[in-house]
Amino acid sequence: MAHSFTQEYFQIPVVTRAYTTACVLTTAAVQLDVITPFQLYFNPDLIIRRYQIWRLITSFLFFGSLGFSFVFNIIFLYRYCRMLEEGCFRGRTADFVFMFLFGGAVMTLFGLFANVFFLGQAFIIMLVYVWSRRHPLIRMNFFGLLNFQAPFLPWVLMGFSLLLGNSIVVDLLGISVGHMYYFLEDVFPNQPGGKKLLATPELLRAMFDAPEEPDYHPLHDQQQEEPDYRPLHDQQQEEPDYHPLHDQQQEEPDYRPLHDQQPEEEPHDLH
C-alpha cells in the first residue's frame, strides 16, 4: 500500500505536487507547534525592515488550522491546480510557473493596501478563475444544490464565503488577479492591434521545460544543407569541355567554301 501511495504521489504534476505538499507541511508544522502563524503571515514592515523575506512565500502556504476550511481549500487547490497543469499548461511547465510568479507578485502588491495577512485562499480563487474562463461550457454542480456553468464558479465561491460570514476581500482579490492574467494572456493578444505582454523568461524555460534534441534536424533541412547536391541539368550546363557540334563547325579556322577560294587566284589575260 505504501508503494502504491508513493507511486500515485509522484504521478501528480510537479508544480501541483510541490505547492500542495508545501501547504500541507506548513499546516502540520503549525499544528505540531514547530512554528506559529505569527511567523508566517504577510507583514510588509517585517519584510522590509527586518528582512523576513520568507513571509512573501509562507503567506501563500497557510490556510488556517486543521478543520473544514483547511480541507475545503486543499481539495480545491489540488483539483484545479492539477487540472490546469495537466490541461492547458500540459508540456508548458515554465509558463505555469510564470503564472504563479505573476499572480503572487500582483497579490503581494495588492496586499499592501488590502490589509490581508494570508494570501493562499486568494491564490486558489485565481487558479479557479483561470480554469473556469478557459472551460466556459462545462456544467458545474455545487453540493448538489446549484447548477451553473464554469465561469460562474468563482462568484459562487465568493457567495459561499459570504454566507459563512467570512470577508469577501480575499475572494475579490483572487478574482481580480485571475482576470488580469486571463485578459493579458488570452484576450488582449487576440484583439486588433493587441500583442502578448506576458512573456515567460528564458531562464524558466531552461529550468522547467525539457530541451529539444540537439542533433535532431527535420528531413527537409537535411536536404537543403547537402553541399554536393546539384540537379543533373545544372551539371551538364557546367561541363567545361562541352561544346555543341554547330559551335565547333563555326570555329573551324581553315574551312572556306570553294567559290570563296577561287577569287583569290591570279586572273589570266586572254589577249
Side-chain angles (χ1 to χ4, degrees):
M1 183 176 178
H3 176 72
S4 177
F5 175 78
T6 303
Q7 186 178 5
E8 290 293 331
Y9 175 77
F10 283 102
Q11 286 181 353
I12 302 173
V14 59
V15 178
T16 303
R17 182 172 70 241
Y19 187 36
T20 306
T21 301
C23 294
V24 172
L25 291 179
T26 301
T27 303
V30 172
Q31 289 295 121
L32 297 173
D33 294 328
V34 177
I35 55 177
T36 65
F38 296 101
Q39 297 173 300
L40 306 175
Y41 75 99
F42 179 71
N43 189 320
D45 291 335
L46 295 178
I47 294 173
I48 296 174
R49 295 179 181 179
R50 298 191 180 180
Y51 307 105
Q52 297 182 2
I53 309 298
W54 67 83
R55 294 180 183 271
L56 294 172
I57 300 176
T58 56
S59 59
F60 290 92
L61 303 180
F62 184 66
F63 300 114
S65 58
L66 287 177
F68 175 78
S69 177
F70 170 77
V71 174
F72 185 83
N73 284 307
I74 285 295
I75 291 175
F76 268 75
L77 167 63
Y78 171 78
R79 176 178 174 82
Y80 290 97
C81 188
R82 180 167 185 171
M83 285 194 298
L84 277 174
E85 191 170 2
E86 291 182 337
C88 51
F89 287 98
R90 184 178 183 87
R92 300 167 51 213
T93 304
D95 294 337
F96 195 46
V97 172
F98 183 68
M99 187 190 75
F100 269 57
L101 296 177
F102 172 82
V106 176
M107 285 183 188
T108 301
L109 293 177
F110 285 172
L112 296 175
F113 309 100
N115 196 27
V116 178
F117 298 114
F118 292 101
L119 300 170
Q121 185 177 348
F123 195 83
I124 294 175
I125 296 295
M126 182 198 74
L127 296 177
V128 172
Y129 185 90
V130 173
W131 177 87
S132 66
R133 294 305 298 263
R134 291 186 172 181
H135 301 82
L137 301 179
I138 294 181
R139 298 288 299 176
M140 307 292 296
N141 182 280
F142 190 71
F143 291 120
L145 301 175
L146 188 62
N147 295 317
F148 53 89
Q149 288 184 310
F152 293 99
L153 178 59
W155 304 100
V156 171
L157 294 178
M158 186 181 70
F160 184 67
S161 297
L162 188 62
L163 289 176
L164 293 178
N166 300 326
S167 173
I168 62 172
V169 174
V170 173
D171 299 87
L172 289 175
L173 178 58
I175 291 173
S176 301
V177 177
H179 184 73
M180 288 178 60
Y181 178 83
Y182 170 74
F183 179 81
L184 294 175
E185 182 71 14
D186 296 354
V187 178
F188 183 69
N190 298 320
Q191 298 295 320
K195 61 180 180 179
K196 185 176 177 64
L197 298 178
L198 298 180
T200 303
E202 292 299 324
L203 177 61
L204 292 180
R205 297 192 184 280
M207 293 173 59
F208 295 101
D209 289 347
E212 296 181 356
E213 291 291 335
D215 298 329
Y216 172 75
H217 299 286
L219 183 60
H220 61 83
D221 292 339
Q222 294 178 356
Q223 291 177 349
Q224 291 176 1
E225 295 174 359
E226 287 289 337
D228 297 326
Y229 171 75
R230 291 180 296 175
L232 183 60
H233 61 81
D234 292 339
Q235 294 177 359
Q236 291 177 349
Q237 291 176 1
E238 296 176 2
E239 288 291 336
D241 298 327
Y242 172 75
H243 300 284
L245 182 60
H246 61 83
D247 292 338
Q248 293 178 357
Q249 291 175 349
Q250 292 176 0
E251 295 175 359
E252 286 291 336
D254 298 329
Y255 172 76
R256 289 181 296 176
L258 182 59
H259 61 81
D260 292 336
Q261 295 177 2
Q262 290 177 354
E264 294 181 3
E265 296 179 1
E266 290 293 330
H268 297 280
D269 190 3
L270 296 177
H271 300 286

